[in-house]
Amino acid sequence: MHGPHHVAQRFTSTGFPLKEESFTISPEGDSKATSGMAAPFWLRSNVPESSALGAVGDDVGPSPCGFGLDCLSQAEVARVTIRSVEISNRTSNSNSMWGGRFAEGPAAVMREINASIPFDKRLWAQDIRASKAHVAMLAAQAIVSSDDAKAISDGLDQIAQEYEANGVPVDLALEDIHMATEARLAELIGPTAGRLHTARSRNDQVATDFRIWVRDAMDAVEAGLIGLQRALLARAEENADAVMPGFTHLQSAQPVTLGHHLMAWFEMIRRDRGRFVDARARMNECPLGAAALAGTGFPIDRHATAKALGFDKPTDNSLDSVSDRDFAIDYLMAASQCALHLSRMSEEIVIWASQPFGFVALPDQWSTGSSIMPQKRNPDAVELVRGHAGRITGCLNALMMTMKGLPLAYSKDMQDDKPPVFEAHDLLALSIAAMTGMVESVTFRTDRMRALAKSGFATATDLADWLVREAGLPFREAHHVTGRAVKRAEELGLTLAAVPLSDLQAIHPGIDDRVFSVLTVDASVASRVSHGGTAPAQVRARIAEAKKVLR
């Protein structure tokens, strides 16, 4: 993998990658490699091939740019002209699944724009699962024979094995994963395969497949977030007593403990998990059986298929069933908020790793060096997590703009619902894994944190509180007295705890030597005993409660 600083070496003056290949798929299903042609973005991914949700493992060729989902290359006019001629010269018979009305078949460019198989092949496992549940229900309802249902189900099992082993073949003439699977089923068992599509439409089929995929994605994200929470709990428990500066406006404010700060991160992730759990509960209704938009006249049992697929119930309105993508937007909203939290955490690690702060030492496995400055240790992992937040929120905006003006029920615009969800999920999963690794392995320099906690007059509020409790001053007056004490400490170049008692008494006669017991950073954090406060006892109590919840 080349880093961005190597990109310039990989491009010609026209902007095309040197000696890179992408795949052009002809309507007949064969593929040919074309040097330097940029593939559609959905064919490119930086996600490992072992993605739990079937992101990859399919033979789609290398990224045109050699890295990432976004390509920096720009097509020159001559190359675009060649590409247009190449597409126009393609020929194909009518897609047999459309029926005789389209005798001449779609134009080559139409085939190209219409096909979703390059990206919706990620749904293959969910598509086969839903098809098996559907045909089992058809047999139970005596809509198809048990022999035909068994042949279809066995054929689907074989196709699943093929996809698992070799990936999903990409044939633009078959448009999408549904037609690709049904075409392969017909090759295996003959005309009986056509019975599978009884009492359903691709509209309810894709709505069902996509819901299952998003539900699986939510479960995967929650599992990742639990792992991050466990890492945060472990590091918070290690550092429940470690004093560090607490900040407002990035200015030293009051002493807190590192354990308390890490538990603040834990609370962010707890809310993120809650959003995914809420969204999952809301979307767990099955649209299968809604057919194209009006339901079906066959005596199907939608409750049976819903149960078989792990849904709570079937959806209640067929129009809404096929046009609803709220579940995808809910996922992206939760993902965006989670990414924002990960970005804020990343920003703090970036700041803490800088030399002026020096709060953390970055582990080798989560940082990089510089090609010119040998002393550098850059927090690239968390910087990329921070950057991914923008891309994830961009995916949310993309889908919201796609859906905002669509009438009921299904429109082809909705084919573009999947790429932003796939991209956001891949980025979020990668970000969670990177943040978990960083939290587990980063070295906290608690000595440096303590030293800076003592600077900046961070115990000034403790002096004001003491004046209220012991000298009986109204808080506003105590605030003014403390301000004068801080000014005197600045003049003397001392911390508040080191200002002579005589100087303090000159500011206010009610101050006595008992005040020094509250002016150390340890005394300050120990005094914050309110529920949720930074006192080590409170931090440990919150950690104990969190451990019980995560068991």
Side-chain angles (χ1 to χ4, degrees), residues 106-434:
V109 173
M110 179 60 193
R111 283 196 300 274
E112 185 109 350
I113 195 173
N114 195 49
S116 59
I117 184 65
F119 55 85
D120 69 18
K121 61 185 177 179
R122 286 186 72 161
L123 300 176
W124 72 261
Q126 291 77 19
D127 189 64
I128 287 177
R129 181 182 174 189
S131 289
K132 290 186 67 176
H134 181 67
V135 76
M137 179 275 297
L138 293 177
Q141 296 297 107
I143 298 170
V144 302
S145 71
S146 57
D147 289 343
D148 285 347
K150 185 178 187 307
I152 291 170
S153 185
D154 290 347
L156 291 171
D157 286 339
Q158 181 176 335
I159 294 170
Q161 293 173 5
E162 294 173 358
Y163 289 170
E164 183 71 36
N166 305 313
V168 179
V170 173
D171 184 345
L172 299 189
L174 294 175
E175 293 188 31
D176 56 36
I177 185 60
H178 321 300
M179 284 189 169
T181 298
E182 188 170 335
R184 178 57 181 149
L185 185 63
E187 291 175 355
L188 293 174
I189 67 173
T192 299
R195 299 189 184 279
L196 173 59
H197 210 56
T198 305
R200 75 174 183 185
S201 161
R202 280 191 296 173
N203 293 356
D204 63 330
Q205 188 177 358
V206 70
T208 303
D209 295 352
F210 196 22
R211 275 189 193 240
I212 298 173
W213 192 96
V214 171
R215 188 178 65 188
D216 292 344
M218 289 177 175
D219 292 343
V221 167
E222 192 191 4
L225 291 177
I226 289 173
L228 176 53
Q229 284 185 301
R230 293 189 190 282
L232 288 169
L233 282 179
R235 300 312 302 271
E237 191 166 30
E238 291 172 15
N239 295 282
D241 295 289
V243 176
M244 67 174 290
F247 299 95
T248 61
H249 309 279
L250 206 56
Q251 304 291 312
S252 182
Q254 290 180 282
V256 296
T257 65
L258 175 56
H260 190 55
H261 197 109
L262 294 175
M263 287 303 291
W265 291 0
F266 178 94
E267 288 298 312
M268 294 180 184
I269 302 305
R270 179 185 61 80
R271 293 192 299 274
D272 291 330
R273 280 186 59 203
R275 274 181 277 272
F276 283 108
V277 170
D278 291 345
R280 190 191 191 284
R282 188 163 46 251
M283 60 88 72
N284 202 36
E285 298 179 359
C286 183
L288 189 59
L293 75 163
T296 178
F298 289 95
I300 62 173
D301 185 349
R302 292 191 61 206
H303 291 274
T305 49
K307 182 178 180 180
L309 294 172
F311 289 101
D312 296 330
K313 61 185 287 290
T315 53
D316 291 331
N317 184 283
S318 60
L319 278 170
D320 182 61
S321 298
V322 299
S323 61
D324 169 35
R325 292 299 183 270
D326 290 3
F327 63 91
I329 293 174
D330 279 353
Y331 174 85
L332 290 174
M333 285 182 171
S336 295
Q337 181 63 72
C338 182
L340 293 180
H341 283 153
L342 295 174
S343 180
R344 294 183 69 186
M345 294 161 62
S346 296
E347 171 66 8
E348 292 202 294
I349 293 175
V350 170
I351 292 172
W352 291 358
S354 66
Q355 281 72 23
F357 276 76
F359 285 2
V360 299
L362 297 174
D364 290 344
Q365 63 268 40
W366 297 106
S367 54
T368 65
S370 166
S371 62
I372 189 172
M373 296 170 285
Q375 83 281 8
K376 294 294 291 298
R377 183 186 292 269
N378 299 322
D380 284 8
V382 286
E383 288 178 344
L384 288 167
V385 171
R386 185 177 61 187
H388 286 170
R391 292 172 64 185
I392 291 170
T393 55
C395 291
L396 169 62
N397 288 332
L399 184 52
M400 291 178 71
M401 292 304 98
T402 296
M403 296 300 299
K404 72 176 183 63
L406 299 186
L408 296 178
Y410 181 85
S411 295
K412 195 70 169 184
D413 314 47
M414 293 166 68
Q415 182 167 287
D416 283 339
D417 58 358
K418 288 167 280 297
V421 176
F422 293 162
E423 180 181 4
H425 175 73
D426 295 342
L427 292 170
L428 183 61
L430 199 59
S431 296
I432 293 169

